[in-house]
Amino acid sequence: MADAELVTIEERLRRIEAITDAALSGLNITELLDELLERVRDLLKVDTATILLLDDHSGELVATAAKGLEEEVRRGFRIRVGRGFAGRVAATRAPVTIYDVTPHDVVNPILLATGIRALLGVPMLANGNLVGVLHVGSLALRRFGPDDVRLLQLVADRASFASQARAQVLDRQAALALQHSLLPGRLPDTPGLDLAARYVPGHDLGIGGDWYDVFGLPSGWLGAVIGDVSGHGLPSAVVMGRIRSALRAYALDSDSPAQALTSLDRKIHHFEAGTLTTAVYALITPDRATVHLSCAGHLPPLLATPGQPTKLVNLPADRPLGVGRPLAERRTTVLDLPPGAALIFYTDGLVERRNELIDTGIERLADAVQSGPADALCDHIMATAEEDPSDDIALLVIRRQPASE
């Protein structure tokens, strides 16, 4: 290879590197991809450049950014991995070139209508995971060489990490926004009861499916639930929202916590297959003296009664929702709630710590419970939690007001 050609290749690599470094630090993901594609077209002297990102939920590649093939993005073009030109690149996770494009090579009618004659595509990978496909095309017959592949793969690698990093940030922000929109912004004013709650997202694993809810029913009973959908991120938060809404609907038709959870279990098996959810659902009588509880694999609440040690509620746990075959019948436990007594519901993020038995965490929680207003009790309990929890924490305190208050 001539020295002039070496200089040209090195200069192109340097320009690509400079472009991507600047873009990574200063542009949002849409601007970044558009900028990369425009520069790629210029550097490789091609007519089209397109990025298709993998949709994890559908397993399809979705046209996300394009130069010269903008119609793909406008039409929302998508294709299964393994199908067509881009699908072949994704399936093999290796560069693919086509010298003379024919209808047998591609399934995207937009490529054929545009008159693309030559194609080069490379996979977008990040940490060994498929992110998408980057491909370029020429309206003239052209043989893409090793240097073209090398340049395009460099751009694809950098775009992959940028896309993944931005996607993770957006996923976390969206999940947090969704979760906060679904958690009660303000607990209901309930005569005879003092309510308080806390929610803290986990910092290591991201947003998950922890939730709590409190709602009044036409019968005068009060419904309260705390639960945890398996997994983390936006998918878990979305499932949590569906489950929360479904339970509210079942609560309107049933005055039995066990029956409502049975219906919810059937719903999860049918519509959210593969999802594991734990929950404790409580119904409090209109006179606030009695609580009916049903547990689906969740940690039992604590009961703090004035003048007595705080203790775990003796609550039999049926299996979690969405596990095995739906149970035909779940169990309900009836509990007295004396004046001044408080029920403390929580998710495992509050009591679990690495290299420690969960019983130790529950004992620590029980020791932290003090009599008094629900909000102050929440504050005192949260002061005992880890400063940087690796899992979400949801805490709900329901206290029956003493006669003197």
Coordinates of all heavy atoms in Angstrom, one line a residue, residues 25-116:
S25 N -19.6 13.7 24.0 CA -19.6 14.6 25.2 C -20.6 15.7 25.1 O -21.0 16.3 26.1 CB -18.2 15.2 25.4 OG -17.8 16.0 24.2
G26 N -21.0 16.1 23.9 CA -21.8 17.2 23.8 C -23.2 17.1 23.1 O -24.0 18.1 23.2
L27 N -23.5 16.0 22.5 CA -24.8 15.9 21.8 C -25.7 14.9 22.4 O -25.3 14.0 23.0 CB -24.5 15.5 20.3 CG -23.6 16.4 19.5 CD1 -23.4 15.7 18.1 CD2 -24.2 17.8 19.3
N28 N -27.0 15.2 22.2 CA -28.0 14.2 22.6 C -27.9 13.0 21.6 O -27.3 13.1 20.5 CB -29.4 14.7 22.8 CG -30.0 15.3 21.5 OD1 -29.9 14.6 20.4 ND2 -30.7 16.4 21.5
I29 N -28.6 11.9 21.9 CA -28.5 10.7 21.1 C -29.0 11.0 19.6 O -28.3 10.5 18.7 CB -29.2 9.5 21.7 CG1 -28.9 8.3 21.0 CG2 -30.7 9.8 21.8 CD1 -27.5 7.9 21.0
T30 N -30.0 11.7 19.4 CA -30.5 12.0 18.1 C -29.5 12.8 17.3 O -29.2 12.5 16.1 CB -31.9 12.7 18.1 OG1 -32.8 11.9 18.9 CG2 -32.4 12.9 16.7
E31 N -29.0 13.8 17.9 CA -28.0 14.7 17.2 C -26.7 13.9 16.9 O -26.1 14.0 15.9 CB -27.7 15.9 18.1 CG -28.8 16.9 18.2 CD -28.6 17.9 19.3 OE1 -27.7 17.6 20.2 OE2 -29.2 19.0 19.2
L32 N -26.4 13.0 17.9 CA -25.1 12.3 17.8 C -25.2 11.3 16.6 O -24.3 11.3 15.7 CB -24.9 11.5 19.1 CG -23.6 10.6 19.1 CD1 -23.2 10.5 20.6 CD2 -23.8 9.2 18.6
L33 N -26.3 10.6 16.5 CA -26.5 9.6 15.4 C -26.5 10.3 14.0 O -25.9 9.9 13.0 CB -27.7 8.8 15.6 CG -27.7 7.9 16.8 CD1 -28.9 7.0 16.9 CD2 -26.4 7.0 16.9
D34 N -27.3 11.4 14.0 CA -27.4 12.2 12.7 C -26.0 12.7 12.3 O -25.6 12.7 11.1 CB -28.3 13.4 12.9 CG -29.8 13.0 12.9 OD1 -30.0 11.8 12.4 OD2 -30.7 13.8 13.3
E35 N -25.2 13.2 13.3 CA -23.9 13.8 13.0 C -23.0 12.6 12.5 O -22.3 12.8 11.5 CB -23.3 14.4 14.2 CG -21.9 15.0 14.0 CD -21.9 16.2 13.2 OE1 -23.0 16.8 12.8 OE2 -20.8 16.7 12.8
L36 N -23.0 11.5 13.1 CA -22.2 10.4 12.7 C -22.5 10.0 11.3 O -21.6 9.7 10.5 CB -22.3 9.2 13.7 CG -21.7 9.4 15.0 CD1 -21.9 8.1 15.8 CD2 -20.2 9.6 14.9
L37 N -23.8 9.8 11.0 CA -24.2 9.4 9.7 C -23.8 10.4 8.6 O -23.4 10.0 7.5 CB -25.7 9.1 9.6 CG -26.2 8.0 10.5 CD1 -27.7 7.8 10.3 CD2 -25.5 6.7 10.2
E38 N -23.9 11.6 8.9 CA -23.5 12.6 7.9 C -22.0 12.6 7.6 O -21.6 12.6 6.4 CB -23.9 14.0 8.4 CG -23.8 15.1 7.3 CD -24.8 14.8 6.1 OE1 -26.0 14.8 6.3 OE2 -24.2 14.6 5.0
R39 N -21.2 12.4 8.6 CA -19.8 12.4 8.5 C -19.4 11.0 7.8 O -18.4 11.0 7.0 CB -19.1 12.5 9.8 CG -19.3 13.8 10.5 CD -19.0 15.0 9.6 NE -19.2 16.3 10.2 CZ -18.3 17.0 11.0 NH1 -17.1 16.5 11.2 NH2 -18.7 18.1 11.5
V40 N -20.1 10.0 8.1 CA -19.8 8.7 7.5 C -20.0 8.8 6.0 O -19.2 8.2 5.2 CB -20.6 7.6 8.1 CG1 -20.6 6.3 7.3 CG2 -20.1 7.2 9.5
R41 N -21.1 9.4 5.6 CA -21.4 9.5 4.2 C -20.3 10.3 3.5 O -19.8 9.9 2.4 CB -22.7 10.3 4.0 CG -23.9 9.4 4.1 CD -25.1 9.9 3.3 NE -25.4 11.3 3.5 CZ -26.4 12.0 2.8 NH1 -27.1 11.3 1.9 NH2 -26.6 13.2 3.0
D42 N -19.8 11.3 4.2 CA -18.7 12.1 3.6 C -17.4 11.4 3.5 O -16.7 11.4 2.5 CB -18.5 13.4 4.4 CG -17.4 14.3 3.9 OD1 -17.4 14.7 2.7 OD2 -16.5 14.6 4.7
L43 N -17.0 10.7 4.6 CA -15.7 10.0 4.6 C -15.7 8.8 3.7 O -14.7 8.5 3.1 CB -15.4 9.6 6.1 CG -15.1 10.7 7.0 CD1 -15.0 10.2 8.5 CD2 -13.8 11.4 6.6
L44 N -16.8 8.0 3.6 CA -16.8 6.8 2.8 C -17.3 7.1 1.4 O -17.3 6.2 0.6 CB -17.7 5.7 3.5 CG -17.1 5.2 4.8 CD1 -18.1 4.1 5.3 CD2 -15.8 4.5 4.6
K45 N -17.7 8.3 1.1 CA -18.2 8.7 -0.2 C -19.4 7.8 -0.6 O -19.4 7.2 -1.7 CB -17.1 8.6 -1.2 CG -15.8 9.4 -0.9 CD -16.2 10.9 -0.6 CE -14.9 11.7 -0.3 NZ -15.3 13.1 0.1
V46 N -20.4 7.7 0.3 CA -21.5 6.9 0.0 C -22.8 7.8 -0.1 O -22.7 8.9 0.3 CB -21.7 5.8 1.1 CG1 -20.6 4.7 1.0 CG2 -21.8 6.4 2.5
D47 N -23.9 7.2 -0.6 CA -25.1 8.0 -0.7 C -26.1 7.8 0.4 O -26.9 8.7 0.6 CB -25.8 7.5 -2.0 CG -24.9 7.8 -3.3 OD1 -24.6 8.9 -3.6 OD2 -24.4 6.8 -3.9
T48 N -26.0 6.7 1.1 CA -26.9 6.5 2.2 C -26.2 6.0 3.4 O -25.1 5.3 3.3 CB -28.0 5.5 1.9 OG1 -27.4 4.2 1.7 CG2 -28.7 5.9 0.6
A49 N -26.7 6.3 4.6 CA -26.2 5.7 5.9 C -27.3 5.6 6.8 O -28.1 6.5 7.0 CB -25.1 6.6 6.5
T50 N -27.5 4.4 7.4 CA -28.6 4.1 8.3 C -28.2 3.4 9.5 O -27.4 2.5 9.5 CB -29.7 3.3 7.5 OG1 -30.0 3.9 6.3 CG2 -30.9 3.0 8.3
I51 N -28.9 3.7 10.6 CA -28.7 3.0 11.9 C -30.1 2.4 12.2 O -31.1 3.1 12.3 CB -28.2 3.9 13.0 CG1 -26.7 4.2 12.8 CG2 -28.4 3.2 14.4 CD1 -26.1 5.1 13.8
L52 N -30.1 1.1 12.5 CA -31.2 0.4 13.0 C -30.9 -0.2 14.4 O -29.9 -0.9 14.5 CB -31.7 -0.8 12.1 CG -32.1 -0.4 10.6 CD1 -30.9 -0.6 9.7 CD2 -33.2 -1.3 10.2
L53 N -31.6 0.2 15.4 CA -31.4 -0.2 16.8 C -32.3 -1.4 17.1 O -33.4 -1.5 16.7 CB -31.6 0.9 17.7 CG -30.6 2.1 17.6 CD1 -30.9 3.2 18.6 CD2 -29.2 1.7 17.7
L54 N -31.8 -2.3 17.9 CA -32.5 -3.5 18.3 C -33.6 -3.1 19.4 O -33.2 -2.5 20.4 CB -31.6 -4.5 18.9 CG -32.2 -5.8 19.3 CD1 -32.8 -6.6 18.1 CD2 -31.2 -6.7 20.0
D55 N -34.8 -3.5 19.1 CA -35.9 -3.3 20.1 C -35.9 -4.6 20.9 O -36.3 -5.7 20.4 CB -37.2 -3.1 19.4 CG -38.4 -2.9 20.4 OD1 -38.2 -3.3 21.6 OD2 -39.4 -2.4 20.0
D56 N -35.5 -4.6 22.2 CA -35.4 -5.8 23.0 C -36.7 -6.5 23.2 O -36.8 -7.7 23.4 CB -34.7 -5.5 24.4 CG -33.3 -5.1 24.2 OD1 -32.6 -5.6 23.4 OD2 -32.8 -4.2 25.0
H57 N -37.8 -5.7 23.2 CA -39.1 -6.3 23.5 C -39.6 -7.1 22.3 O -40.2 -8.2 22.5 CB -40.1 -5.2 23.9 CG -39.7 -4.4 25.1 ND1 -39.6 -4.9 26.3 CD2 -39.3 -3.1 25.2 CE1 -39.2 -4.0 27.2 NE2 -39.0 -2.9 26.5
S58 N -39.4 -6.6 21.1 CA -39.9 -7.3 19.9 C -38.9 -8.1 19.2 O -39.2 -9.0 18.4 CB -40.5 -6.3 18.9 OG -39.4 -5.5 18.4
G59 N -37.6 -7.9 19.6 CA -36.5 -8.7 18.9 C -36.4 -8.2 17.4 O -35.8 -8.9 16.6
E60 N -36.8 -7.0 17.1 CA -36.7 -6.5 15.8 C -35.7 -5.3 15.7 O -35.5 -4.6 16.7 CB -38.1 -6.0 15.3 CG -39.1 -7.1 15.1 CD -40.4 -6.6 14.7 OE1 -40.9 -5.6 15.3 OE2 -41.1 -7.2 13.8
L61 N -35.2 -5.1 14.5 CA -34.3 -3.9 14.3 C -35.2 -2.8 13.8 O -36.1 -3.0 12.9 CB -33.3 -4.2 13.2 CG -32.3 -5.3 13.6 CD1 -31.5 -5.8 12.3 CD2 -31.3 -4.8 14.6
V62 N -35.1 -1.6 14.3 CA -35.9 -0.5 14.0 C -35.1 0.7 13.5 O -34.1 1.1 14.1 CB -36.7 0.0 15.3 CG1 -37.6 1.2 14.9 CG2 -37.5 -1.1 15.9
A63 N -35.5 1.2 12.3 CA -34.8 2.3 11.7 C -34.9 3.5 12.6 O -36.0 4.0 12.8 CB -35.3 2.6 10.3
T64 N -33.7 4.0 13.1 CA -33.7 5.0 14.1 C -33.2 6.3 13.5 O -33.6 7.4 13.9 CB -32.9 4.6 15.3 OG1 -33.5 3.3 15.8 CG2 -33.0 5.6 16.4
A65 N -32.2 6.2 12.7 CA -31.5 7.4 12.1 C -31.1 7.1 10.7 O -30.6 6.0 10.4 CB -30.3 7.9 12.9
A66 N -31.2 8.0 9.8 CA -30.8 7.8 8.4 C -30.5 9.0 7.6 O -31.0 10.1 7.9 CB -32.0 7.1 7.6
K67 N -29.5 8.9 6.7 CA -29.2 10.0 5.8 C -29.2 9.4 4.4 O -28.6 8.4 4.1 CB -27.8 10.5 6.1 CG -27.6 11.2 7.4 CD -28.5 12.5 7.4 CE -28.3 13.2 8.8 NZ -29.1 14.4 8.8
G68 N -30.1 9.9 3.5 CA -30.3 9.4 2.2 C -31.4 8.4 2.1 O -31.9 8.1 1.1
L69 N -31.8 7.8 3.3 CA -32.9 6.9 3.4 C -33.8 7.3 4.5 O -34.3 6.5 5.3 CB -32.4 5.5 3.7 CG -31.7 4.7 2.5 CD1 -31.1 3.4 2.9 CD2 -32.7 4.5 1.4
E70 N -34.1 8.6 4.6 CA -34.9 9.1 5.7 C -36.3 8.5 5.7 O -36.9 8.5 6.8 CB -35.0 10.6 5.6 CG -33.7 11.4 6.0 CD -32.7 11.5 4.8 OE1 -33.1 10.9 3.7 OE2 -31.7 12.1 4.9
E71 N -36.8 8.1 4.6 CA -38.1 7.5 4.5 C -38.2 6.2 5.4 O -39.3 5.9 5.9 CB -38.4 7.1 3.1 CG -39.8 6.7 2.8 CD -40.8 7.9 3.0 OE1 -40.3 9.0 2.9 OE2 -42.0 7.6 3.1
E72 N -37.1 5.5 5.6 CA -37.1 4.4 6.5 C -37.5 4.8 7.9 O -38.3 4.1 8.6 CB -35.7 3.7 6.6 CG -35.4 2.8 5.4 CD -34.2 1.9 5.7 OE1 -33.7 2.0 6.9 OE2 -33.8 1.1 4.9
V73 N -37.0 5.9 8.4 CA -37.3 6.3 9.7 C -38.7 6.9 9.8 O -39.5 6.6 10.7 CB -36.3 7.4 10.2 CG1 -36.6 8.0 11.6 CG2 -34.9 6.9 10.2
R74 N -39.1 7.6 8.8 CA -40.5 8.2 8.8 C -41.5 7.1 8.8 O -42.6 7.3 9.4 CB -40.6 9.1 7.5 CG -40.0 10.5 7.7 CD -40.5 11.4 6.6 NE -40.0 11.0 5.3 CZ -38.9 11.5 4.7 NH1 -38.1 12.3 5.4 NH2 -38.6 11.1 3.5
R75 N -41.2 6.0 8.1 CA -42.2 4.9 8.0 C -42.1 4.0 9.2 O -42.9 3.0 9.3 CB -42.0 4.1 6.7 CG -42.4 4.9 5.4 CD -42.4 3.9 4.3 NE -42.5 4.6 3.0 CZ -42.6 4.0 1.8 NH1 -42.5 2.7 1.8 NH2 -42.7 4.7 0.7
G76 N -41.1 4.2 10.0 CA -41.0 3.3 11.2 C -40.6 1.9 10.7 O -41.0 0.9 11.3
F77 N -39.7 1.8 9.7 CA -39.3 0.5 9.2 C -38.7 -0.4 10.3 O -37.9 0.1 11.0 CB -38.4 0.6 8.0 CG -37.9 -0.7 7.5 CD1 -38.7 -1.5 6.7 CD2 -36.6 -1.1 7.8 CE1 -38.2 -2.7 6.2 CE2 -36.1 -2.4 7.3 CZ -36.9 -3.1 6.5
R78 N -39.1 -1.7 10.3 CA -38.5 -2.6 11.3 C -38.4 -4.0 10.6 O -39.2 -4.3 9.7 CB -39.3 -2.7 12.6 CG -40.8 -3.0 12.5 CD -41.4 -3.1 13.9 NE -41.2 -1.9 14.7 CZ -41.0 -1.9 16.0 NH1 -40.8 -3.0 16.6 NH2 -40.9 -0.8 16.6
I79 N -37.5 -4.8 11.1 CA -37.3 -6.1 10.5 C -36.7 -7.0 11.5 O -36.0 -6.6 12.4 CB -36.3 -6.0 9.3 CG1 -36.2 -7.3 8.5 CG2 -34.9 -5.5 9.7 CD1 -35.5 -7.1 7.2
R80 N -37.1 -8.3 11.4 CA -36.6 -9.3 12.4 C -35.1 -9.6 12.2 O -34.7 -9.6 11.0 CB -37.4 -10.6 12.3 CG -38.9 -10.5 12.7 CD -39.5 -11.8 12.9 NE -39.3 -12.7 11.7 CZ -40.2 -12.7 10.7 NH1 -41.3 -11.9 10.7 NH2 -40.0 -13.5 9.7
V81 N -34.5 -9.9 13.2 CA -33.1 -10.4 13.1 C -33.0 -11.6 12.3 O -33.8 -12.6 12.5 CB -32.5 -10.6 14.5 CG1 -31.1 -11.3 14.4 CG2 -32.4 -9.3 15.3
G82 N -32.1 -11.7 11.3 CA -32.0 -12.8 10.5 C -32.7 -12.7 9.1 O -32.5 -13.5 8.2
R83 N -33.5 -11.6 9.0 CA -34.2 -11.4 7.8 C -33.7 -10.2 7.0 O -33.4 -9.2 7.6 CB -35.7 -11.2 8.1 CG -36.7 -11.5 7.0 CD -38.1 -11.6 7.4 NE -39.0 -11.5 6.2 CZ -39.6 -10.4 5.8 NH1 -39.4 -9.3 6.5 NH2 -40.3 -10.5 4.7
G84 N -33.5 -10.3 5.7 CA -33.1 -9.2 4.9 C -31.6 -8.9 5.2 O -30.9 -9.6 5.9
F85 N -31.2 -7.8 4.6 CA -29.7 -7.4 4.7 C -29.3 -7.1 6.1 O -28.4 -7.6 6.7 CB -29.5 -6.3 3.8 CG -28.1 -5.7 3.9 CD1 -27.0 -6.4 3.5 CD2 -27.9 -4.4 4.4 CE1 -25.7 -5.9 3.6 CE2 -26.6 -3.9 4.6 CZ -25.5 -4.7 4.2
A86 N -30.1 -6.1 6.7 CA -29.7 -5.7 8.1 C -29.9 -6.9 9.1 O -29.1 -7.0 10.0 CB -30.6 -4.5 8.5
G87 N -31.0 -7.6 8.9 CA -31.2 -8.8 9.8 C -30.1 -9.8 9.7 O -29.7 -10.5 10.7
R88 N -29.5 -10.0 8.5 CA -28.4 -10.9 8.3 C -27.1 -10.4 9.1 O -26.4 -11.2 9.7 CB -28.1 -11.0 6.8 CG -27.0 -12.0 6.4 CD -26.8 -12.0 5.0 NE -25.5 -12.5 4.5 CZ -25.0 -12.3 3.3 NH1 -25.8 -11.7 2.4 NH2 -23.8 -12.8 3.0
V89 N -26.9 -9.1 9.0 CA -25.7 -8.5 9.7 C -25.9 -8.8 11.2 O -25.0 -9.1 11.9 CB -25.6 -7.0 9.4 CG1 -24.5 -6.4 10.3 CG2 -25.3 -6.8 8.0
A90 N -27.1 -8.5 11.7 CA -27.4 -8.7 13.1 C -27.3 -10.2 13.5 O -26.8 -10.5 14.6 CB -28.8 -8.2 13.5
A91 N -27.8 -11.1 12.7 CA -27.7 -12.5 13.0 C -26.3 -13.1 13.1 O -26.0 -13.8 13.9 CB -28.6 -13.3 12.1
T92 N -25.5 -12.6 12.1 CA -24.1 -13.1 12.0 C -23.2 -12.4 12.9 O -22.1 -12.8 13.2 CB -23.6 -13.1 10.6 OG1 -23.6 -11.7 10.1 CG2 -24.5 -13.9 9.7
R93 N -23.6 -11.1 13.3 CA -22.7 -10.2 14.1 C -21.4 -10.1 13.4 O -20.3 -10.0 14.0 CB -22.5 -10.8 15.5 CG -23.8 -10.9 16.3 CD -23.6 -11.0 17.8 NE -24.9 -11.0 18.5 CZ -25.0 -10.9 19.8 NH1 -23.9 -10.8 20.5 NH2 -26.1 -11.0 20.4
A94 N -21.4 -9.9 12.1 CA -20.2 -9.8 11.3 C -20.5 -8.9 10.1 O -21.7 -8.8 9.7 CB -19.7 -11.1 10.8
P95 N -19.5 -8.2 9.5 CA -19.8 -7.3 8.4 C -20.3 -8.1 7.2 O -19.9 -9.3 7.0 CB -18.4 -6.7 8.1 CG -17.6 -6.9 9.4 CD -18.1 -8.1 10.0
V96 N -21.2 -7.5 6.5 CA -21.7 -8.1 5.2 C -21.7 -7.0 4.1 O -22.0 -5.9 4.3 CB -23.2 -8.5 5.4 CG1 -23.8 -9.0 4.1 CG2 -23.3 -9.6 6.5
T97 N -21.2 -7.5 3.0 CA -21.1 -6.6 1.8 C -21.9 -7.2 0.6 O -21.9 -8.4 0.5 CB -19.7 -6.3 1.4 OG1 -19.0 -7.5 1.0 CG2 -18.9 -5.6 2.5
I98 N -22.5 -6.3 -0.1 CA -23.2 -6.8 -1.3 C -22.7 -5.9 -2.5 O -22.9 -4.6 -2.4 CB -24.7 -6.7 -1.2 CG1 -25.2 -7.6 -0.1 CG2 -25.4 -7.1 -2.5 CD1 -26.7 -7.6 0.2
Y99 N -22.2 -6.5 -3.5 CA -21.6 -5.7 -4.6 C -22.7 -5.2 -5.6 O -22.7 -4.0 -6.0 CB -20.6 -6.5 -5.4 CG -20.2 -5.9 -6.7 CD1 -19.5 -4.7 -6.7 CD2 -20.5 -6.5 -7.9 CE1 -19.1 -4.1 -7.9 CE2 -20.1 -5.9 -9.1 CZ -19.4 -4.7 -9.1 OH -19.0 -4.2 -10.3
D100 N -23.7 -6.1 -5.9 CA -24.8 -5.7 -6.8 C -26.1 -6.2 -6.2 O -26.4 -7.3 -6.2 CB -24.5 -6.4 -8.2 CG -25.5 -5.8 -9.2 OD1 -26.3 -5.0 -8.9 OD2 -25.4 -6.3 -10.4
V101 N -26.8 -5.2 -5.6 CA -28.0 -5.5 -4.8 C -29.1 -6.0 -5.8 O -29.4 -5.4 -6.8 CB -28.5 -4.3 -4.1 CG1 -29.8 -4.5 -3.4 CG2 -27.5 -3.9 -3.0
T102 N -29.8 -7.1 -5.4 CA -30.9 -7.6 -6.1 C -32.1 -7.8 -5.1 O -31.9 -7.8 -3.9 CB -30.6 -9.0 -6.7 OG1 -30.5 -10.0 -5.7 CG2 -29.3 -8.9 -7.5
P103 N -33.3 -8.0 -5.6 CA -34.4 -8.2 -4.7 C -34.3 -9.5 -3.8 O -34.9 -9.6 -2.8 CB -35.6 -8.4 -5.7 CG -35.2 -7.6 -6.9 CD -33.7 -7.8 -7.0
H104 N -33.4 -10.4 -4.2 CA -33.1 -11.5 -3.3 C -32.2 -11.2 -2.1 O -32.2 -11.9 -1.1 CB -32.4 -12.6 -4.1 CG -33.2 -13.1 -5.3 ND1 -34.4 -13.9 -5.1 CD2 -33.1 -13.0 -6.6 CE1 -34.9 -14.2 -6.3 NE2 -34.2 -13.6 -7.2
D105 N -31.5 -10.0 -2.2 CA -30.6 -9.7 -1.1 C -31.3 -8.9 0.0 O -30.8 -8.9 1.1 CB -29.4 -8.8 -1.7 CG -28.6 -9.6 -2.7 OD1 -28.3 -10.8 -2.5 OD2 -28.3 -9.0 -3.8
V106 N -32.3 -8.1 -0.4 CA -32.9 -7.2 0.6 C -34.4 -7.4 0.6 O -35.0 -7.8 -0.5 CB -32.6 -5.7 0.3 CG1 -31.1 -5.5 0.4 CG2 -33.1 -5.3 -1.1
V107 N -35.1 -7.1 1.7 CA -36.5 -7.2 1.7 C -37.2 -5.8 1.9 O -38.4 -5.7 1.9 CB -37.0 -8.2 2.9 CG1 -36.5 -9.6 2.6 CG2 -36.5 -7.6 4.2
N108 N -36.4 -4.8 2.1 CA -36.8 -3.5 2.4 C -37.1 -2.8 1.0 O -36.2 -2.5 0.2 CB -35.8 -2.7 3.1 CG -36.3 -1.3 3.4 OD1 -37.4 -0.9 3.1 ND2 -35.4 -0.5 4.1
P109 N -38.4 -2.6 0.7 CA -38.7 -2.0 -0.6 C -38.1 -0.6 -0.8 O -37.9 -0.1 -1.9 CB -40.2 -1.9 -0.6 CG -40.6 -1.9 0.8 CD -39.6 -2.8 1.5
I110 N -37.8 0.1 0.3 CA -37.3 1.5 0.2 C -35.9 1.4 -0.4 O -35.5 2.3 -1.2 CB -37.3 2.2 1.6 CG1 -38.7 2.3 2.1 CG2 -36.6 3.5 1.5 CD1 -38.8 2.8 3.5
L111 N -35.1 0.4 0.0 CA -33.7 0.3 -0.6 C -33.8 0.1 -2.1 O -33.0 0.7 -2.8 CB -33.0 -0.9 0.1 CG -32.5 -0.8 1.5 CD1 -31.9 -2.1 2.0 CD2 -31.4 0.3 1.5
L112 N -34.7 -0.8 -2.5 CA -34.8 -1.1 -3.9 C -35.4 0.2 -4.7 O -34.9 0.5 -5.8 CB -35.8 -2.2 -4.2 CG -35.3 -3.6 -3.6 CD1 -36.4 -4.6 -3.7 CD2 -34.0 -4.0 -4.3
A113 N -36.3 0.8 -4.1 CA -36.9 2.0 -4.8 C -35.9 3.1 -4.9 O -35.9 3.9 -5.9 CB -38.1 2.5 -4.0
T114 N -35.0 3.2 -3.9 CA -34.0 4.3 -3.9 C -32.9 4.0 -5.0 O -32.2 4.9 -5.4 CB -33.3 4.4 -2.6 OG1 -34.3 4.6 -1.6 CG2 -32.3 5.6 -2.5
G115 N -32.8 2.7 -5.4 CA -31.8 2.4 -6.4 C -30.4 2.0 -5.9 O -29.4 2.2 -6.6
I116 N -30.4 1.6 -4.6 CA -29.1 1.2 -4.0 C -28.5 0.0 -4.8 O -29.1 -1.0 -5.0 CB -29.3 0.8 -2.5 CG1 -29.8 2.0 -1.7 CG2 -27.9 0.4 -1.9 CD1 -28.9 3.2 -1.7

